[in-house]
């Protein structure tokens, strides 16, 4: 067993323990006796120290030219590239995803660095004619201030990068509060940010529990913006608190994503998509395919194909090159996924394959759950409506395309969606009628790229989009600037009306 890493908070350029001295530990979900790291159990006073540092640093950081701010972010990308393998190994160990996926997680951070850095030379505003003679009008993007970033464990590198990189390029200072399941990944990532040479206080890291450090951060009155990715329950608290304390807030929450397979689809292709979308990252993506909406003409055949493929998936630790499906993140989540099996059965769904905790051989050392297909699911069942966040997919049969889209849309969430068809008219109808932030045609529900907006409609989000140029809208506010060079008072809406 490896010696546990000692993680600390990073505040004002210094690595610090929590003022109260308490520590917590993270464990390898594939080998639960293995402590991966110890980390500070921070409280409100630690948060306050970080806020003071971030506020102080903001005064000068906002004045650093945006292209120069972006160069620091570019350097993070270069250093991340050098440490890609080391970081991927750590992700696999602490979060559990297979190494190939862990490399993808880091790569998403690298892509985000280079993409965001380019924005430092864009940050475009507009110029527009004034209604007055000898008057100039334009818009400029302004940073917001101190941004609290609260991030989940499922993409422990990519998601902090999505949030921190554009925030920094836009001239904000940041405080990252990573998930308590993946503190070592966050610490290594912030070491890389630190190595890029940001001035002290521009990027800060505070570890701890959501209900302590996270809550203190969201409630702190000297924070300007909270960007949160996580559960809908916590998101509701974050949103309400930010509303009460007048903070900007960007929420990225649950999903109940569906893939539709029509009778004209390339079934092999749709199968590849379904297996990857449902069981990739052990179903622990907010974009994961948790409903498969199948046309009745192909339902039987496709279900048999899916069952066959699912039965062959290899469960194991992420660092085993044979592994296709890693562990569930922790005991609580494992129990939650397990409870959904009882709920499914009680409501009349059929567990076609899987449905249980996997504990054969070395799997008994970790939190493994069998890849599971639930058949005979109807749209009103809880397993068709609630986010499970595990390797579980529900099959729903439909008779035509309209019904497929109606069922796909019959959910409180709206993150990702997918339709497999060879019919161009159906494809375009789906693009128009699906209620989701992301729609794939002939591709799985997972796999968003960093230069496109990422986010969802309905209860998935609150109208913001991360990534893409839309990230700039999260982390800046517009200022309208008027310059009157007429030398006299010109009264808008009055002096040009006669
Ligand atoms: C998430 O699960 O919160 O689109 C993010 C995808 C990844 C990001 C997932 N690029 O599946």
């Amino acid at each position: 067993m490896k010696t546990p890493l000692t993680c600390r908070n990073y505040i004002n350029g210094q690595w610090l323990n929590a003022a109260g001295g308490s520590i917590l530990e993270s464990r390898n979900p594939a080998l639960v006796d293995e402590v991966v790291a110890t980390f500070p159990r921070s409280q409100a006073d630690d948060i306050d120290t970080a806020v003071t540092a971030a506020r102080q640093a903001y005064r000068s950081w906002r004045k650093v030219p945006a292209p120069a701010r972006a160069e620091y972010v570019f350097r993070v990308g270069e250093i991340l590239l050098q440490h890609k393998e080391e970081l991927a190994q750590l992700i696999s160990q602490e979060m559990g995803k297979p190494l190939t996926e862990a490399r993808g997680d880091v790569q998403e951070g690298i892509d985000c660095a280079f993409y965001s850095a380019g924005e430092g030379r864009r940050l475009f505003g507009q110029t527009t004619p004034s209604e007055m003679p000898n008057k100039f009008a334009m818009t400029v993007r302004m940073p917001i201030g101190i941004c609290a970033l609260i991030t989940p464990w499922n993409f422990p590198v990519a998601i902090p990068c999505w949030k921190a990189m554009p925030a920094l390029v836009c001239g904000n200072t940041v405080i990252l509060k990573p998930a308590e399941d993946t503190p070592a990944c966050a610490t290594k990532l912030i070491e890389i940010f630190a190595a890029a040479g940001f001035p002290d206080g521009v990027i800060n890291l505070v570890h701890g529990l959501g209900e302590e450090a996270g809550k203190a951060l969201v409630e702190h009155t000297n924070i300007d913006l909270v960007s949160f990715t996580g559960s809908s329950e916590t998101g509701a608290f974050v949103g309400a608190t930010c509303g009460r304390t007048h903070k900007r807030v960007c929420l990225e929450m649950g999903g109940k994503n569906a893939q539709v397979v029509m009778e004209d689809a390339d079934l092999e292709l749709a199968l590849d998509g379904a297996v990857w979308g449902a069981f990739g990252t052990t179903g622990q993506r907010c974009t994961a395919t948790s409903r498969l909406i199948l046309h009745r003409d192909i339902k039987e055949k496709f279900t048999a194909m899916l069952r066959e493929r699912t039965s062959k998936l290899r469960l194991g630790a992420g660092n085993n090159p044979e592994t296709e499906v890693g562990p569930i993140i922790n005991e609580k989540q494992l129990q939650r996924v397990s409870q959904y099996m009882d709920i499914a059965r009680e409501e009349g769904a059929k567990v076609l394959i899987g449905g249980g905790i996997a504990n054969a051989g070395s799997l008994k050392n970790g939190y493994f759950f069998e890849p599971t297909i639930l058949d005979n699911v109807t749209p009103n069942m809880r397993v068709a409506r609630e986010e499970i966040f595990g390797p579980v997919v529900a099959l729903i049969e439909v008779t035509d395309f309209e019904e497929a889209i109606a069922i796909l849309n019959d959910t409180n969430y709206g993150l990702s969606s997918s339709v497999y068809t060879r019919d161009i008219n159906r494809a375009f109808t789906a693009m128009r009628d699906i209620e989701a932030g992301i729609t794939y045609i002939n591709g799985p529900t997972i796999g968003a790229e960093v230069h496109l907006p990422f986010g969802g409609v309905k209860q998935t989000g609150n109208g913001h989009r991360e990534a893409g140029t839309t990230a700039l809208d999260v982390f800046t506010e517009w200022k309208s600037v008027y310059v009157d060079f007429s030398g006299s008072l010109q009264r808008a809406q009055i002096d040009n009306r006669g």
Side-chain angles (χ1 to χ4, degrees):
M1 272 195 202
K2 297 177 189 159
T3 332
L5 296 164
T6 305
C7 296
R8 296 203 165 83
N9 293 335
Y10 185 68
I11 300 176
N12 211 17
Q14 287 182 298
W15 292 99
L16 303 171
N17 292 321
S22 277
I23 57 165
L24 297 161
E25 52 187 37
S26 71
R27 284 170 186 262
N28 180 342
L31 200 62
V32 300
D33 288 341
E34 181 178 89
V35 176
V36 178
T38 59
F39 62 101
R41 180 174 179 170
S42 310
Q43 304 288 347
D45 49 351
D46 304 297
I47 294 293
D48 198 51
T49 311
V51 174
T52 305
R55 178 64 62 196
Q56 173 69 26
Y58 177 61
R59 293 196 184 101
S60 39
W61 181 245
R62 61 181 279 272
K63 294 185 194 152
V64 174
R69 293 194 300 247
E71 279 177 29
Y72 289 96
V73 170
F74 193 89
R75 217 168 298 143
V76 174
E78 291 179 313
I79 306 171
L80 266 174
L81 251 180
Q82 289 162 13
H83 293 268
K84 181 172 172 181
E85 190 56 30
E86 175 196 339
L87 212 46
Q89 298 273 354
L90 186 61
I91 293 173
S92 236
Q93 189 196 0
E94 193 174 46
M95 180 274 167
K97 63 175 81 171
L99 257 179
T100 44
E101 291 191 32
R103 292 187 190 111
D105 194 329
V106 184
Q107 187 58 47
E108 204 161 326
I110 295 166
D111 296 341
C112 186
F114 296 148
Y115 175 73
S116 311
E119 288 305 319
R121 285 190 184 271
R122 282 184 286 265
L123 285 189
F124 297 136
Q126 293 174 315
T127 61
T128 180
S130 163
E131 63 186 49
M132 305 289 186
N134 298 328
K135 195 170 171 186
F136 181 83
M138 64 180 166
T139 61
V140 289
R141 286 190 185 273
M142 305 292 288
I144 291 179
I146 315 306
C147 299
L149 314 178
I150 302 179
T151 55
W153 45 263
N154 66 338
F155 276 80
V157 168
I159 294 180
C161 288
W162 288 4
K163 293 184 193 290
M165 289 169 172
L168 293 165
V169 169
C170 290
N172 305 283
T173 56
V174 308
I175 302 169
L176 172 66
K177 154 61 184 91
E180 48 259 41
D181 293 289
T182 49
C185 297
T187 305
K188 284 286 163 196
L189 178 65
I190 296 304
E191 277 177 21
I192 287 168
F193 273 80
F198 285 93
D200 292 348
V202 168
I203 175 121
N204 304 279
L205 166 71
V206 184
H207 291 287
L209 300 175
E211 57 271 33
E212 295 174 354
K215 185 164 181 278
L217 200 51
V218 173
E219 287 177 341
H220 200 289
T221 49
N222 207 4
I223 278 175
D224 303 295
L225 177 146
V226 177
S227 175
F228 167 82
T229 299
S231 72
S232 294
E233 294 91 310
T234 308
F237 168 80
V238 173
T241 309
C242 289
R244 198 162 37 76
T245 53
H246 301 293
K247 296 185 182 77
R248 306 289 172 267
V249 62
C250 168
L251 303 172
E252 186 54 55
M253 300 170 287
K256 192 69 194 173
N257 315 294
Q259 173 183 319
V260 172
V261 185
M262 293 307 298
E263 80 284 8
D264 66 339
D266 176 337
L267 292 191
E268 286 294 341
L269 185 69
L271 178 67
D272 287 343
V275 172
W276 175 228
F279 304 125
T281 325
T282 319
Q284 300 175 112
R285 294 197 193 204
C286 51
T287 49
T289 307
S290 57
R291 295 180 293 156
L292 271 172
I293 300 175
L294 306 174
H295 190 278
R296 69 170 171 204
D297 291 357
I298 53 90
K299 164 102 188 323
E300 204 181 315
K301 181 170 181 204
F302 190 77
T303 303
M305 290 161 74
L306 182 67
R307 183 184 178 152
E308 155 84 5
R309 185 78 77 80
T310 305
S311 70
K312 293 198 177 123
L313 289 171
R314 290 184 300 262
L315 265 74
N319 63 359
N320 178 348
E322 302 281 290
T323 295
E324 293 168 292
V325 179
I328 300 265
I329 189 69
N330 55 36
E331 168 86 37
K332 192 170 157 220
Q333 264 304 114
L334 185 70
Q335 293 309 330
R336 197 180 126 88
V337 175
S338 205
Q339 278 156 18
Y340 270 106
M341 299 303 112
D342 301 334
I343 294 169
R345 286 191 192 95
E346 275 162 31
E347 290 189 319
K350 180 174 163 200
V351 179
L352 202 61
I353 186 170
I357 290 173
N359 47 19
S362 63
L363 299 181
K364 68 176 182 309
N365 301 322
Y367 304 126
F368 290 92
F369 198 84
E370 296 165 343
T372 301
I373 304 172
L374 301 177
D375 201 359
N376 300 344
V377 175
T378 55
N380 287 329
M381 290 181 183
R382 286 182 62 190
V383 287
R385 308 200 74 80
E386 297 173 16
E387 187 175 48
I388 298 175
F389 227 65
V392 180
V393 69
L395 309 187
I396 304 174
E397 182 178 311
V398 290
T399 52
D400 57 34
F401 180 69
E402 286 65 36
E403 191 191 359
I405 299 300
I407 288 175
L408 184 146
N409 286 340
D410 182 16
T411 166
N412 291 333
Y413 298 111
L415 182 55
S416 189
S417 56
S418 150
V419 175
Y420 280 77
T421 179
R422 288 183 170 116
D423 180 335
I424 188 83
N425 296 346
R426 282 173 168 170
F428 272 84
T429 306
M431 287 182 240
R432 184 192 62 197
D433 291 345
I434 285 177
E435 297 163 3
I438 306 170
T439 293
Y440 293 90
I441 303 294
N442 294 329
T445 59
I446 66 176
E449 302 175 27
V450 299
H451 56 300
L452 276 82
F454 183 93
V457 303
K458 303 187 201 168
Q459 291 180 20
T460 291
N462 65 338
H464 288 288
R465 291 290 180 274
E466 304 200 88
T469 47
T470 43
L472 307 179
D473 297 327
V474 174
F475 293 109
T476 59
E477 292 205 85
W478 287 108
K479 179 182 276 186
S480 299
V481 180
Y482 300 90
V483 183
D484 192 323
F485 56 101
S486 70
S488 56
L489 171 66
Q490 303 194 80
R491 294 172 299 180
Q493 293 94 40
I494 296 173
D495 288 346
N496 60 348
R497 293 286 174 216

